[in-house]
């Protein structure tokens, strides 16, 4: 009886899914033959994307673009609903760490067969770390739209006062500078590390030579490279060089000199210029300090096409336009987000700007989050272990043993 009920439920769900899928794009064509493509874009980008789409519509009068801006905090649930109902947009923006989850669910159209027709989609056009986010299980499931990476922000004046003429270039120099800066008095720290940032522990691990073999499901969290990096990371909290609580806003702490160094992405450049104008000429950015390498993370967003779009040709034209070098440079002006196309970085708007050029230098040596659907859950589990180590004085080796065990169990589920 249970088997019959389950079978009937499955048939009903399948039927509903097919009906919804068939209805998903009923309004994509108008009476005059114009096609309308729907684009879901997230956060501030979604609010500004209509402006960038106007030129595309002028160049393609038979295509109209309907942009729906979705707040980041609602985006994941909305995408899950779209996958379940088969009623999604034609084009969707995905944060790079979300790509494996939705590709694994079969929600993203394989673009492999379109690479010859649209050569700007080819991986060689993009930074290596960004290109890695394009594929899942040998399918090309998205095209990098914009990128970001983490660099070191530092107070040039305070480092100079402490005896450092240049930003720290190695792990040892970073620890030395952080130690000296933290000795200026109570409530002063050397380096701010956000314990809620899931990518920072992996940045340290990559810099120490850590590698994960996703294809063979070898996580290697037991490796010396990973363990040594986590011990180095945790030593900043153990030695009082980094604050274990969030404390005051990082911009305010940076202005006051209480946290004169921190890691962040390109968005912080304009935030500091806007919110801390008195610091002009007293701060700068530098590529990450190195151990075996100075690898940083690469993130950002990709554009993908929903797998059951009825407007694939039009969606491809839209993706092609969005990833032209000139379009990406225009998007830089509109949104202050960084181009994913390597060629765009030859433009003076980027190459002549010292801080942006530093970000471009760092983008040459980056890794993206592993392309596996379990990574997000693993990263959150690691943050829980880190909190117990740094705040609860838990034994680091025991915590990492437990984390490694749980992470491998996630692969088996």
């Amino acid at each position: 009886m249970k088997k019959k009920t389950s079978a009937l439920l499955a048939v009903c769900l399948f039927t509903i899914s097919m009906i919804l899928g068939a209805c998903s794009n009923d309004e994509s064509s108008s009476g005059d033959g114009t096609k309308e493509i729907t684009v879901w874009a997230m956060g501030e980008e979604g609010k500004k994307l209509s402006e960038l789409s106007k030129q595309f519509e002028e160049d393609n009068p038979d295509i109209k673009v309907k942009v729906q801006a979705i707040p980041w905090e609602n985006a994941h649930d909305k995408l899950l609903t779209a996958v379940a109902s088969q009623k999604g947009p034609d084009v969707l923006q995905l944060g790079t760490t979300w790509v494996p989850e939705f590709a694994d669910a079969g929600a993203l159209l394989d673009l492999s067969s379109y690479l010859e027709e649209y050569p700007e989609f080819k991986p060689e056009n993009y930074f290596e770390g960004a290109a890695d986010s394009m594929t899942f299980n040998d399918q090309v499931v998205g095209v990098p739209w914009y990128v970001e990476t983490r660099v070191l922000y530092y107070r040039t004046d305070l480092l100079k006062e402490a005896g450092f003429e240049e930003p720290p270039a190695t792990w040892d120099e970073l620890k030395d500078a952080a130690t000296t800066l933290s000795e200026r008095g109570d409530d002063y720290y050397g380096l701010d590390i956000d314990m809620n940032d899931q990518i920072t522990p992996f940045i340290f691990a990559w810099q120490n030579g850590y590698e994960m073999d996703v294809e063979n499901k070898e996580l290697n969290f037991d490796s010396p490279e990973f363990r040594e990096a986590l011990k180095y990371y945790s030593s900043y909290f153990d030695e009082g060089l980094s604050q274990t609580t969030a404390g005051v806003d990082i911009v305010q702490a940076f202005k006051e000199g209480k946290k004169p160094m921190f890691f962040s992405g390109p968005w912080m450049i304009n935030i500091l210029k806007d919110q801390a104008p008195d610091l002009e000429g007293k701060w700068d950015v530098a590529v990450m300090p190195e151990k075996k390498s100075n690898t940083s993370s690469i993130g950002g967003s990709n554009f993908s096409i929903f797998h059951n779009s009825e407007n694939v040709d039009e969606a491809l034209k839209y993706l092609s336009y969005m990833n032209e070098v000139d379009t990406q440079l225009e998007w830089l002006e509109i949104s202050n987000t960084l181009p994913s196309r390597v060629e765009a970085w030859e433009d003076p708007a980027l190459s002549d700007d010292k801080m942006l050029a530093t970000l471009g230098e760092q983008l040459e040596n980056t890794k993206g989050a592993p392309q596996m659907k379990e990574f997000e859950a693993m990263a959150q589990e690691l943050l829980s272990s880190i909190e117990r180590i740094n705040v609860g004085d838990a034994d680091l080796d025991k915590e990492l043993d437990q984390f490694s065990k749980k992470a491998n169990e996630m692969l088996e589920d």
Side-chain angles (χ1 to χ4, degrees), residues 363-409:
L363 281 164
E364 297 285 351
N365 189 6
T366 57
K367 288 182 181 292
Q371 291 299 96
M372 52 194 305
K373 60 185 178 65
E374 301 89 352
F375 177 72
E376 286 277 333
M378 288 181 188
Q380 290 303 311
E381 191 66 44
L382 178 59
L383 291 184
S384 296
S385 294
I386 285 171
E387 183 175 9
R388 288 190 289 270
I389 293 165
N390 294 336
V391 180
D393 293 325
D395 182 79
L396 184 143
D397 287 314
K398 289 181 180 179
E399 279 293 334
L400 293 184
D401 286 342
Q402 287 297 312
F403 163 67
S404 180
K405 180 181 177 182
K406 289 180 181 179
N408 281 283
E409 288 172 352

Side-chain angles (χ1 to χ4, degrees), residues 174-189:
L174 181 65
K175 177 62 75 72
D176 187 23
T179 300
T180 302
L181 289 165
S182 69
E183 292 172 346
R184 291 172 296 153
D186 293 339
D187 297 324
Y188 281 83
Y189 299 90

Side-chain angles (χ1 to χ4, degrees), residues 106-406:
L108 310 181
L109 182 71
D110 183 7
L111 304 179
S112 303
S113 61
Y114 301 104
L115 296 186
E116 292 303 319
E117 184 179 357
Y118 295 96
E120 62 272 22
F121 293 172
K122 291 185 177 181
E124 54 263 35
N125 291 311
Y126 304 98
F127 292 102
E128 183 178 353
D132 290 343
S133 72
M134 297 175 63
T135 59
F136 185 84
N137 287 349
D138 298 323
Q139 294 186 349
V140 178
V141 293
V143 182
W145 179 27
Y146 67 84
V147 293
E148 58 89 357
T149 188
R150 308 299 170 86
V151 292
L152 177 69
Y153 285 73
Y154 68 101
R155 286 281 300 269
T156 54
D157 56 340
L158 296 181
L159 261 72
K160 188 172 184 178
E161 288 176 13
F164 301 93
E165 296 292 333
E166 301 291 336
T170 67
W171 277 18
D172 287 343
E173 290 179 8
L174 181 65
K175 177 62 75 72
D176 187 23
T179 300
T180 302
L181 289 165
S182 69
E183 292 172 346
R184 291 172 296 153
D186 293 339
D187 297 324
Y188 281 83
Y189 299 90
L191 173 70
D192 184 64
I193 300 177
D194 182 358
M195 284 203 307
N196 294 316
D197 184 3
Q198 66 184 34
I199 205 65
T200 302
F202 288 94
I203 291 175
F204 279 117
W206 294 330
Q207 290 171 356
N208 198 41
Y210 166 74
E211 296 282 351
M212 179 189 294
D213 186 347
V214 175
E215 184 176 350
N216 295 309
K217 295 186 175 182
E218 295 177 1
L219 302 178
N220 298 326
F221 291 134
D222 292 324
S223 67
E225 291 83 2
F226 186 80
R227 295 297 179 100
E228 290 169 3
L230 267 291
K231 287 179 181 178
Y232 178 78
Y233 168 98
S234 294
S235 71
Y236 281 87
F237 300 96
D238 185 52
E239 296 170 23
L241 311 182
S242 300
Q243 191 172 11
T244 55
T245 58
V248 300
D249 174 75
I250 185 58
V251 175
Q252 186 63 33
F254 195 62
K255 286 169 62 175
E256 295 174 352
K258 293 185 175 181
K259 294 181 178 180
M261 296 191 296
F262 65 94
F263 303 124
S264 192
W267 55 86
M268 283 301 300
I269 292 177
N270 282 332
I271 289 175
L272 287 173
K273 287 180 178 179
D274 292 341
Q275 299 183 20
D278 293 344
L279 288 184
E280 184 178 358
K282 298 178 181 179
W283 64 278
D284 206 343
V285 297
V287 296
M288 289 295 224
E290 69 174 351
K291 180 67 180 303
K292 295 179 181 178
S293 73
N294 77 329
T295 306
S296 187
S297 64
I298 189 169
S301 284
N302 292 2
F303 269 138
S304 296
I305 298 177
F306 202 65
H307 73 103
N308 68 345
S309 168
E310 294 182 0
N311 302 304
V312 172
D313 289 341
E314 292 76 17
L316 287 166
K317 287 182 180 179
Y318 185 77
L319 262 64
S320 175
Y321 175 79
M322 286 297 163
N323 283 74
E324 292 176 2
V325 169
D326 288 345
T327 309
Q328 291 208 340
L329 290 170
E330 183 181 353
W331 185 237
L332 171 66
E333 291 183 19
I334 294 172
S335 68
N336 290 313
T337 53
L338 303 180
S340 60
R341 292 284 300 268
V342 174
E343 185 182 344
W345 287 81
E346 298 173 5
D347 190 271
L350 292 157
S351 60
D352 291 352
D353 185 303
K354 183 177 180 295
M355 290 187 182
L356 292 181
T358 298
L359 287 158
E361 180 184 352
Q362 184 64 73
L363 281 164
E364 297 285 351
N365 189 6
T366 57
K367 288 182 181 292
Q371 291 299 96
M372 52 194 305
K373 60 185 178 65
E374 301 89 352
F375 177 72
E376 286 277 333
M378 288 181 188
Q380 290 303 311
E381 191 66 44
L382 178 59
L383 291 184
S384 296
S385 294
I386 285 171
E387 183 175 9
R388 288 190 289 270
I389 293 165
N390 294 336
V391 180
D393 293 325
D395 182 79
L396 184 143
D397 287 314
K398 289 181 180 179
E399 279 293 334
L400 293 184
D401 286 342
Q402 287 297 312
F403 163 67
S404 180
K405 180 181 177 182
K406 289 180 181 179

